[in-house]
Amino acid sequence: MSSSIPRVVIVGAGIVGCSLADELTARGWTDVTVLDKGPLPLTGGSTSHAPGLVFATNSSRSMSRFAAYTAAKFKSLDCFLDVGGLEVATTPERVDELHRRHGFATSWGLQSEVVDAERCLELYPLLDRGRILAGLHTPDDGLAKAVKASATQAEQATARGARFIGGMDVTSIDRSNGRVTAVRAGEHTFEADIVVCCAGFWGPELGELLGMTVPLQPLAHQYAHTTELDLPSRRARTEAVLPILRHQDERLYYREHGDHLGIGSYHHRPMPVDSRELGSSENVTAQNMPSSMPFTEADFADAWQRSTELLPTLEHAKIQHAFNGIFSFTPDGAPIVGESREVQGLWVSEAIWVTHSAGVAKSLAEQMITGHSEIDMHECDLYRFEKTDLVPSNVARTSAQNFVEVYDIIHPLQPKVEPRPLRVSPFYGRQQELGAMFLDGAGWERPHWYESNSVLLEQLPEQWQAPKREPWSAKFWSPISAVEAWRTREAVAMYDMTPLRRLEVGGPGALALLQKLTTNQLDKKVGSVTYALMLDATGGVRSDVTVARVAEDRFQVGVNGPLDEDWMLRHAGSDVYVRDITGATACIGLWGPSARKVLAPLTSADISHTGLKYFNGRTIHVGGIDVLALRLSYVGELGWELYTDADTALRLWDTLWEAGQAHGVVAAGRSAFNSLRLEKGYRSWGTDMTTEHDPYQAGLGFAVRKAKGDFVGASALHEGGDGPVLTCLTLDDPSHVVMGKEPVLRDGTVVGYVTSAAYGYTVGRTVAYAWLPAGLQPGDHVAVQYFRDLLPATVMAEPLVDPDMNKIRC
């Protein structure tokens, strides 16, 4: 970089680019240039026509926090209409969903209230009382004045030294020695140390300039303005008075525009758009912009009918003008944010709606300047996607599904519709024969239970039987899971662990790299296996990994996903290679007290407790094939993770299956696995802990060995903080079940929220982990808010099952 203050060029002067310029310059990075192909301030992108809804309630804590910051900032800039929000229910299922959303809001510290129909009418008098069952009132939500907010932030950034230039169509991004050096727009060249792509639905085109895939799909979304109505805003001579109204049962929303009503509709077919075929960004006006396409009236007909039923005053109105506005959708519905690994200094900030704009910009500015965001960003990371997610046809299909499901009631386990099946393990055919119920994860077909085990329900001891569940928690669940947990604890089970991502890290510098990136001591003998964490510079938990030393300079590393591979590749030198071997291999978890009885006769290797100790591994021969046997168990029982090549994996399955028949072997799925791992107190990264938590808060201090020498995040670690800690709970009533993200109360006050939860078949009640204040002791009483109910719960010492590890170490 040419000076201590880097030269930053932001491509895109919509609300994201303007927000980022403001956040950067407010932190002292004042050499900022913002370019846009359109005129300023109305550039013609999505911001120019955005309705400006800011709803903070979200199942994602990070997304809720982004939205809350956006609302607070725009209020401070006088660019926000503080009207609140109202989501209405016209079906019993939606009433339940509003209670669930109220739980999200409560968990994340937002103000919300589930109100009855009469209160809905008080808040929004235009509603048809006969159709409303209940509503969710969120008083801090409101309407962002998107164009004004962009202009105001641009003015603030300009006052600090930034410059904004319109009419600049970027044609290339120069680079040298692996980093960006300049941005070219026609004959104009802008030297840069950092380039940030905030181009909205034009982002994929910019990505193509450097061979980067930006997986978003532009889709058209209908928005209509009615003719004049007698609205409260008209009488008050202001833009809006009524709260934002959302009618998710019909995928519709409404906001005032002075004397007429704006209607936004997802109540139509997905309409993908190729951004390269849009109109020019020159001569942009409010009526003529490339992000606004001609209105397709036929697609709106049913939405209009539903609107007149909900709001009878519309029976005497018409559509005055309307358009199909373009927005960006991604394969998982979240933004795309991060720095290119291949081109240093090239950042992406895409697929961000007005709702989250300032919040994401703040976190991105923090990442750029300090390397760390206060809010965890893994759900938005550029490198979170699997390779299959990046295939253009898959981007289009999954993004279209996200459009359709914007207002749907989405169950936490709800799988993708398509493309499926996409990734299958070598055992897929056998699993189908056993009646596997597949859900998807990272594109993999993953059995959650097996119908073949239903014949064992009659044999299930009474103490193992699960209570009858209410419909929500029973969705994507089966009592067969209890059978699979029982047989794992008392006999033996085979789990397909193939989808768990694993990397091969090798070369002369492999040990040094892993020592630098992880918290535990890895300089051990060949055959050792070590559980460790990867931290960021502030000591936050980036991931947890299992590292097996299979040779002096080669390691097999079990990781959580693509972000871990990206992190290692960013730090790897020329003397290290990092290779994803997941698809080339397969893994069976053989676990249970009879696991050794199944495996021992199949191999000449000594797999006794002394011959192959816990957290050790070696290559053995099973059924005539090489198998890497790691003495690990994430269900808390004796057993091994057994790895082999994909082409020999089916032989391994069949060999173990045949040998296991005499010992009562069953195939078991993820539903039982999740129950068993919670009973054992094993954490799930991304759910139980993130970069917002340190190892000691997460109960993982045992995996930190500061004495081994320096590693990323070591200097930031301090034991004994007073922040929240991850705490084990059980629900007092064995018939109660929760699923995660519910608020936890103590003496009537919200003190935290649940992360993971599952019914514990061994302990006979639901096990939940929650972030709660330090100082709570086993035996202390709390309550978990589940929909309408407060469920009594008790703080427990962990782990709940086999705390002395006798079952594993035998």
Side-chain angles (χ1 to χ4, degrees), residues 434-445:
L434 294 171
M437 165 59 183
F438 292 102
L439 300 180
D440 76 305
W444 289 93
E445 295 297 319

Side-chain angles (χ1 to χ4, degrees), residues 56 58-67 104 107-109 374-376 379 690 692-693 741 753:
N58 195 293
S59 61
S60 164
R61 183 170 182 264
S62 292
M63 297 300 285
S64 286
R65 295 176 71 190
F66 294 147
F104 293 151
S107 289
W108 315 147
E374 176 188 355
I375 298 174
D376 176 67
E379 294 173 317
T690 68
E692 296 181 17
H693 313 109
K741 302 186 178 181
Y753 60 92

Side-chain angles (χ1 to χ4, degrees), residues 560-784:
N560 284 294
L563 294 182
D564 294 340
E565 181 181 8
D566 173 56
W567 186 244
M568 291 183 185
L569 287 170
R570 288 177 187 272
H571 290 86
S574 58
D575 59 348
V576 185
Y577 68 86
V578 178
R579 183 173 64 188
D580 181 4
I581 60 172
T582 311
T585 57
C587 178
I588 296 172
L590 181 70
W591 293 313
S594 297
R596 187 174 282 120
K597 295 176 183 178
V598 174
L599 186 60
L602 303 176
T603 180
S604 60
D606 182 0
I607 62 167
S608 67
H609 177 58
T610 54
L612 184 53
K613 294 182 178 180
Y614 187 54
F615 263 82
N616 280 267
R618 71 167 63 154
T619 297
I620 64 175
H621 300 114
V622 179
I625 59 175
D626 287 341
V627 174
L628 176 62
L630 302 184
R631 180 84 184 276
L632 304 175
S633 174
Y634 285 91
V635 297
E637 296 293 333
L638 169 69
W640 297 265
E641 292 179 1
L642 302 172
Y643 295 89
T644 190
D645 293 339
D647 57 352
T648 55
L650 190 57
R651 182 176 180 86
L652 176 62
W653 177 282
D654 288 344
T655 300
L656 293 171
W657 185 255
E658 182 179 355
Q661 296 307 305
H663 303 285
V665 72
V666 297
R670 293 295 296 181
S671 182
F673 178 91
N674 196 46
S675 169
L676 297 170
R677 70 99 180 165
L678 281 171
E679 291 180 329
K680 196 60 185 169
Y682 293 139
R683 277 62 167 151
S684 174
W685 184 83
T687 301
D688 295 318
M689 70 277 191
T690 68
T691 56
E692 296 181 17
H693 313 109
D694 70 36
Y696 306 110
Q697 291 176 296
L700 298 173
F702 67 86
V704 177
R705 297 288 185 272
K706 295 184 75 171
K708 77 167 186 174
D710 191 34
F711 54 84
V712 174
S715 61
L717 291 180
H718 304 284
E719 292 188 63
D722 57 1
V725 295
L726 193 60
T727 305
C728 180
L729 309 173
T730 59
L731 300 189
D732 295 350
D733 187 332
S735 67
H736 289 158
V737 176
V738 298
M739 303 192 68
K741 302 186 178 181
E742 297 88 358
V744 179
L745 294 83
R746 181 164 168 78
D747 298 327
T749 300
V750 177
V751 293
Y753 60 92
V754 173
T755 57
S756 296
Y759 190 82
Y761 302 104
T762 316
V763 299
R765 60 194 60 214
T766 291
V767 181
Y769 274 78
W771 284 102
L772 298 177
L776 290 177
Q777 299 297 318
D780 286 345
H781 297 289
V782 295
V784 179

